[in-house]
Amino acid sequence: MDSNSHPELDTTDFCDELETKIYQSLIGATQWVISLGRFDIGVHVMSLGSFRVQPRKGHLDAVK
């Protein structure tokens, strides 16, 4: 994720149910990676993780 990125300002369309499940899975996997030692991505993952309930397509692209 770019250091100038602001996911809270994303205005892309909301993800459908399948994309939301994929997003939630990717966030969970990256949280696991943080616990293994990739502390440098923690802030970005937690920022994107706050959109787990209703992510937008831009959030999904940022996680990928």
Side-chain angles (χ1 to χ4, degrees), residues 1-58:
M1 193 163 115
D2 184 22
S3 61
N4 293 327
S5 180
H6 297 282
E8 67 277 5
L9 301 177
D10 192 339
T11 58
T12 57
D13 293 334
F14 288 107
C15 293
D16 61 25
E17 188 175 333
L18 176 62
E19 291 171 325
T20 299
K21 291 192 180 294
I22 291 169
Y23 181 80
Q24 292 168 343
S25 178
L26 289 171
I27 290 293
T30 53
Q31 287 174 335
W32 180 74
V33 169
I34 293 168
S35 70
L36 292 176
R38 284 296 310 268
F39 307 114
D40 57 314
I41 63 171
V43 173
H44 302 296
V45 173
M46 294 305 132
S47 176
L48 287 169
S50 65
F51 300 100
R52 281 185 302 245
V53 175
Q54 194 169 25
R56 293 183 177 268
K57 294 185 185 287

Side-chain angles (χ1 to χ4, degrees), residues 53-64:
V53 175
Q54 194 169 25
R56 293 183 177 268
K57 294 185 185 287
H59 300 141
L60 180 59
D61 291 339
V63 174
K64 288 181 177 179

